[in-house]
Amino acid sequence: MEIRKPYLMFLGDAHDQLAVKTAQGVVDWRRDWCLGQLRLEGCKADLGLEDMTIAEAAEAGVKTMIVGTVSPGGVLPDYWVDTIVSALDAGLDVATGLHKRLGSVPAIAEAAKRNGRQLFDVRFSDETFATGRGTKRPGLRLLTVGTDCSVGKKYAALALEAGMRERGLKADFCATGQTGVLISGRGVALDAVVADFISGAAEWLTPANAPDHWDVVEGQGSLFHPSFAGVTLGLLHGSQPDAFVVCHEPTRTKMRNVEHPIPSIQSVIDRTILEGSLTNPDIQCVGIAVNTQALGEDEAQALLKSISQEHGLPATDPVRFGVGPIVDEIVARFGS
Amino acid sequence: MEIRKPYLMFLGDAHDQLAVKTAQGVVDWRRDWCLGQLRLEGCKADLGLEDMTIAEAAEAGVKTMIVGTVSPGGVLPDYWVDTIVSALDAGLDVATGLHKRLGSVPAIAEAAKRNGRQLFDVRFSDETFATGRGTKRPGLRLLTVGTDCSVGKKYAALALEAGMRERGLKADFCATGQTGVLISGRGVALDAVVADFISGAAEWLTPANAPDHWDVVEGQGSLFHPSFAGVTLGLLHGSQPDAFVVCHEPTRTKMRNVEHPIPSIQSVIDRTILEGSLTNPDIQCVGIAVNTQALGEDEAQALLKSISQEHGLPATDPVRFGVGPIVDEIVARFGS
């Protein structure tokens, strides 16, 4: 799956800015790919991009319209279908993270066929995977893991890709969730893969590469989350990371959507090394990414210092203070 | 998914006895449900059942024809389709473990619709699951785990169900693979579930029950198998077993289809307790099931004695020596 660039961001009639979170993620991380936005009447969201019609977007060289918006009611409204058909008629591909396949709407399927255009439903995987082999491959891999779901694993991986590239390292973000796929234009939504092929899909995503090349892999779930630990373990085995970064949200008291307590950072480090060593005996933790959004500046700095000292590892908030200390650690351990 | 009994076993033109392994499993464990077999010209397999035509089977009260045969080339030959259509026309449901959905063959789909009959593709799951919650439910659960894939986890679970029932315990086998589903008439092929719902599917399979009722759950894969450990972990978390039995094949030197060594029985016990305690802190090992098929009688007895002494747990070959010692242990620890 490789989505053609550049993009037109379709916002529909989004009720608020939160409804375009996925689209905002693409703009935050891939501003250069986003030539404009298309908003329907009543749209209350704004990505700060130039407003464009489909004709203007096609004229400007846009290749794909991204539907990165949660629609009212979670379904695809008829008046969005008209816009999607127009985009296909103008020669654009269309990519979405909706729960329903674009091709399941007859008008959209016909328009795609009529124009020879591609539809990307990033929540679904049409790729056929082999089962995982667990054999060591050349190339370096870094995985972000978490004390819980939704603690900044995608953000940390994207920030590390950027920070490592700035430092002259060869690094590529590998998306394992739908937003990540739209941001990077490729990847696989791992939660949608059939269970037998989780580690195989992770191997497919992070194939053999040059010895000094880093795949920076977006983590999923947590080894301690009773809903999703199977996905986390399959991703860990398949991506066989040389290095991992633990992501943590210090104000959370229990795991997302369940009653389980948040595990300690140390137990996540220990368990990740224990399980990860099945496919990479040299796996090591290179840093801790903490989401300090809920804390004041001084409090955040004090917490990071304390976590860093406790674990003997760099600890930072990638959003607030950057990933510099973790990139330093990577360079120190693996070379530049 | 609940397949109606009794069954007619369709063997097609199976090349040899191995091709009807799945059908044989159903006969081995559910002889009473199997009223007859239907063999096409050239069939080289025999389940020792009465040969019946479809008309005779319908007359005898058969409700479902089971296609438990690997077809030549793995596909569904046209001359099998004719027989399947005839079964549907005679008022039978049809269940298979084939890689292709029965309903994807237009003639079969039409015949099912025309006769108002059900098609069961046990390799696929049409059930919608919630994500796992990890909350403790009433009822007792036993899970078979393994040092590898294909070491007798299904057999051990079925033998334990039978042995526990003989001892007066309330015990129900819970199938997690396609053969198990055909044997028990219900269950879910866990390897075919979408990754996010592995533990949720396992919770659905083993719901709240009476405090003295045992779900005896067929295990999948191994926590140490780099292809399938994610499935194993999700099943462990979702089934939240009170007790588990480790299944082992002593002559194997590396894990099935990969280059990884077989883990020790002790490491499987330790890892299962470590990971399983996330959803059931009281999880405990109650025995070891060893496949001694490759060993002589004396050698087998000596090995079992040595394994039992090493781990302080009953060790037996369920096929050769029965599951008595493990049932004793269950009764001793959990009551009768």
Side-chain angles (χ1 to χ4, degrees):
Chain A
M1 158 147 46
E2 182 92 43
I3 302 170
R4 294 189 308 152
K5 280 88 69 173
Y7 298 159
L8 170 68
M9 308 308 291
F10 174 73
L11 304 191
D13 53 340
H15 282 335
D16 55 21
Q17 201 67 20
L18 193 63
V20 300
K21 203 180 112 185
T22 298
Q24 184 70 59
V26 181
V27 175
D28 287 347
W29 290 103
R30 298 295 186 259
R31 178 63 188 82
D32 291 352
W33 297 356
C34 304
L35 294 199
Q37 64 186 13
L38 173 55
R39 301 189 288 172
L40 299 182
E41 204 180 312
C43 180
K44 303 226 166 47
D46 187 352
L47 299 175
L49 301 172
E50 187 182 336
D51 284 296
M52 285 183 175
T53 64
I54 285 169
E56 287 164 351
E59 177 69 28
V62 162
K63 293 282 186 290
T64 302
M65 183 168 85
I66 306 284
V67 183
T69 307
V70 178
S71 60
V75 296
L76 193 61
D78 286 344
Y79 50 95
W80 287 25
V81 171
D82 294 343
T83 310
I84 291 169
V85 168
S86 303
L88 293 163
D89 283 338
L92 308 190
D93 292 338
V94 179
T96 83
L98 294 172
H99 277 286
K100 184 175 177 177
R101 281 178 189 269
L102 287 171
S104 70
V105 180
I108 295 176
E110 282 156 28
K113 197 173 169 193
R114 181 168 69 236
N115 296 291
R117 298 271 50 94
Q118 276 198 280
L119 302 173
F120 295 96
D121 297 288
V122 300
R123 261 185 208 272
F124 300 87
S125 175
D126 294 326
E127 187 77 33
T128 304
F129 302 104
T131 53
R133 304 290 312 168
T135 315
K136 192 82 184 69
R137 305 181 290 285
L140 294 161
R141 288 164 196 87
L142 182 149
L143 176 67
T144 55
V145 302
T147 53
D148 193 5
C149 302
S150 307
V151 287
K153 290 186 286 285
K154 178 179 70 247
Y155 193 101
L158 283 160
L160 282 163
E161 177 198 50
M164 291 165 80
R165 285 181 173 185
E166 269 171 34
R167 208 69 67 88
L169 300 176
K170 296 179 204 157
D172 286 310
F173 173 74
C174 296
T176 60
Q178 51 143 342
T179 303
V181 172
L182 289 176
I183 289 174
S184 69
R186 59 179 288 277
V188 54
L190 212 64
D191 56 0
V193 170
V194 165
D196 246 10
F197 304 99
I198 310 173
S199 66
E203 292 185 0
W204 173 89
L205 184 67
T206 60
N209 212 318
D212 62 344
H213 175 276
W214 284 95
D215 276 331
V216 183
V217 186
E218 174 191 7
Q220 291 293 332
S222 165
L223 286 176
F224 291 87
H225 197 295
S227 309
F228 308 117
V231 176
T232 310
L233 183 61
L235 174 55
L236 176 60
H237 284 164
S239 63
Q240 52 180 231
D242 303 277
F244 67 93
V245 169
V246 178
C247 302
H248 181 61
E249 211 286 54
T251 64
R252 216 171 279 181
T253 55
K254 54 182 194 175
M255 300 191 90
R256 200 170 155 83
N257 294 328
V258 295
E259 296 303 316
H260 285 63
I262 300 282
S264 70
I265 291 170
Q266 190 59 49
S267 62
V268 172
I269 293 174
D270 293 344
R271 190 68 61 89
T272 303
I273 291 172
L274 180 71
E275 295 291 9
S277 55
L278 182 74
T279 55
N280 190 344
D282 298 324
I283 184 171
Q284 49 194 283
C285 184
V286 295
I288 300 158
V290 185
N291 180 345
T292 64
Q293 198 171 10
L295 309 179
E297 174 94 9
D298 290 352
E299 208 182 354
Q301 293 279 19
L303 177 69
L304 291 171
K305 193 174 170 192
S306 141
I307 290 176
S308 176
Q309 282 174 346
E310 184 185 342
H311 299 94
L313 288 165
T316 182
D317 181 332
V319 179
R320 205 165 190 171
F321 307 115
V323 292
I326 299 179
V327 177
D328 291 343
E329 187 75 17
I330 293 168
V331 169
R333 295 198 193 193
F334 295 90
S336 55
Chain B
M1 159 147 48
E2 182 91 42
I3 302 170
R4 294 190 306 152
K5 281 87 72 170
Y7 299 158
L8 170 69
M9 309 307 293
F10 174 73
L11 305 190
D13 53 339
H15 282 336
D16 55 21
Q17 201 67 20
L18 193 63
V20 301
K21 202 179 113 186
T22 298
Q24 184 70 60
V26 181
V27 175
D28 286 348
W29 291 102
R30 298 294 185 257
R31 178 62 188 83
D32 291 351
W33 297 355
C34 302
L35 294 198
Q37 64 187 14
L38 173 55
R39 302 187 289 173
L40 300 181
E41 204 180 312
C43 180
K44 303 226 166 48
D46 187 350
L47 299 175
L49 301 172
E50 188 183 334
D51 284 295
M52 286 183 174
T53 64
I54 284 169
E56 287 164 350
E59 177 70 27
V62 162
K63 294 281 185 287
T64 302
M65 183 168 86
I66 305 284
V67 183
T69 307
V70 178
S71 60
V75 296
L76 193 60
D78 286 343
Y79 50 95
W80 287 25
V81 171
D82 294 342
T83 309
I84 292 168
V85 168
S86 304
L88 293 163
D89 283 338
L92 308 191
D93 293 338
V94 179
T96 83
L98 294 171
H99 277 286
K100 184 176 177 176
R101 281 179 188 269
L102 287 170
S104 71
V105 180
I108 295 176
E110 281 155 29
K113 198 173 168 193
R114 180 168 71 234
N115 296 291
R117 298 270 51 93
Q118 276 198 279
L119 302 173
F120 296 96
D121 297 288
V122 300
R123 261 186 207 273
F124 300 87
S125 175
D126 294 325
E127 188 76 34
T128 304
F129 302 104
T131 54
R133 305 289 312 167
T135 315
K136 192 80 184 69
R137 305 181 290 286
L140 293 161
R141 288 163 197 88
L142 182 149
L143 175 67
T144 54
V145 303
T147 53
D148 193 5
C149 302
S150 307
V151 287
K153 291 186 286 286
K154 178 178 71 249
Y155 192 101
L158 284 159
L160 282 163
E161 177 198 48
M164 291 165 80
R165 285 181 173 186
E166 269 172 35
R167 206 70 67 87
L169 300 176
K170 295 179 205 157
D172 287 310
F173 173 74
C174 295
T176 59
Q178 51 143 342
T179 303
V181 173
L182 289 176
I183 290 174
S184 69
R186 59 179 289 276
V188 53
L190 212 65
D191 56 0
V193 169
V194 165
D196 247 10
F197 303 99
I198 309 172
S199 66
E203 292 185 359
W204 172 89
L205 184 67
T206 60
N209 212 318
D212 62 344
H213 175 276
W214 284 95
D215 276 332
V216 183
V217 187
E218 175 191 6
Q220 291 293 332
S222 166
L223 286 176
F224 291 85
H225 198 295
S227 307
F228 308 117
V231 176
T232 311
L233 183 62
L235 174 56
L236 177 60
H237 284 164
S239 62
Q240 52 179 231
D242 303 277
F244 67 93
V245 170
V246 178
C247 303
H248 180 62
E249 211 286 54
T251 64
R252 217 172 279 180
T253 55
K254 55 182 193 174
M255 300 191 90
R256 201 170 154 83
N257 294 327
V258 295
E259 296 303 315
H260 286 63
I262 301 281
S264 70
I265 291 171
Q266 190 58 50
S267 62
V268 172
I269 294 175
D270 294 343
R271 191 67 61 92
T272 302
I273 291 173
L274 180 71
E275 295 290 9
S277 55
L278 181 74
T279 55
N280 190 345
D282 298 324
I283 183 171
Q284 50 194 285
C285 185
V286 294
I288 301 157
V290 185
N291 180 345
T292 64
Q293 197 170 13
L295 308 179
E297 174 95 9
D298 291 350
E299 207 183 353
Q301 293 279 19
L303 177 68
L304 291 171
K305 192 173 170 192
S306 141
I307 289 176
S308 176
Q309 281 174 345
E310 184 184 344
H311 299 94
L313 288 165
T316 182
D317 181 331
V319 179
R320 206 166 189 171
F321 307 116
V323 292
I326 299 179
V327 178
D328 291 343
E329 187 76 18
I330 293 168
V331 170
R333 295 198 193 193
F334 294 90
S336 55

